[in-house]
Amino acid sequence: MDWIIAGCGAVLNLAAVYLAKKKTGLEPPDQKKWLAALLLAGVGGFASGFLLILRVGTYLPNLLRLLLLGAFLAAAAYTDALSRRIPNQVVLGTAAVFAGCTLLDFLLSGMDAVAMMVNGLVSAGVFFLVFFLVRMASHGGVGYGDIKMITAAALIFGVYGTFSFLLTSHVAAALVAIVLLICKKASRKDGLPFGPFFYLGYLVTLLMGTF
């Protein structure tokens, strides 16, 4: 079962990145970078499958919602790295995963699914409001695409998972920014695409089991 779930994670991530390329027309500047993107997506999906078996067992709604979240985040990482934007289809797809898996959860476990649904909705509302206010206060310091992706991921991760997801993402982005500044590869005015860091935050959150 472990290998099957891990394989499903890899296939879903590869499919998500391939479809993102087809739908947006975004391509890396050379073939090696495209192969590197596929390799990272496949390895990340494979690792997430193993981590999910360890953390959530084989309960179908949980496996589906987190595996598919990983696939959509892989697509977001790809598009954001190349174009500095996260398509609305990725955000809406993530929200649809929440809705579909919540319905499946109700069918399999009845009213026990209510707590997880409420946790996701409250988390999404809180983090949307927080980052929307941050954007207003910083005059656009946080992109709308990032806010929408955070909100959609919060539906699935819930409050604690989203804290871990965001903490890891922002710490990693800060460290990379510092290294780029020290090496003079970027200036303070340059922004970083957050999509890849969101995907890293997803993997670390699965590893830590904080959701």
Side-chain angles (χ1 to χ4, degrees), residues 127 130-131 134 141-143 146-147 150 162-178 192 194 196-202:
F127 284 102
V130 167
F131 279 93
V134 168
V142 182
D146 293 338
I147 295 173
I150 290 168
T162 307
F163 270 119
S164 173
F165 167 70
L166 290 175
L167 178 62
T168 304
S169 302
H170 283 75
V171 169
L175 291 174
V176 169
I178 290 170
L192 283 176
F194 252 84
F197 298 106
F198 286 155
Y199 189 74
L200 177 61
Y202 160 80

Side-chain angles (χ1 to χ4, degrees), residues 48-137:
S48 65
F50 267 114
L51 291 171
L52 282 171
I53 287 292
L54 292 174
R55 297 302 183 188
V56 304
T58 57
Y59 183 57
L60 185 59
N62 288 343
L63 283 176
L64 280 177
R65 62 169 52 97
L66 289 165
L67 279 176
L68 290 170
L69 172 61
F72 279 113
L73 286 172
Y78 178 82
T79 58
D80 203 21
L82 292 176
S83 67
R84 301 295 180 92
R85 64 182 295 271
I86 297 174
N88 286 332
Q89 293 93 324
V90 172
V91 176
L92 293 174
T94 306
V97 167
F98 168 76
C101 289
T102 298
L103 177 60
L104 181 60
D105 206 5
F106 270 107
L107 293 175
L108 293 178
S109 61
M111 295 306 293
D112 290 340
V114 171
M116 183 172 289
M117 180 188 70
V118 171
N119 186 20
L121 291 172
V122 169
S123 176
V126 168
F127 284 102
F128 172 80
L129 179 60
V130 167
F131 279 93
F132 182 77
L133 292 175
V134 168
R135 177 180 171 82
M136 295 297 102

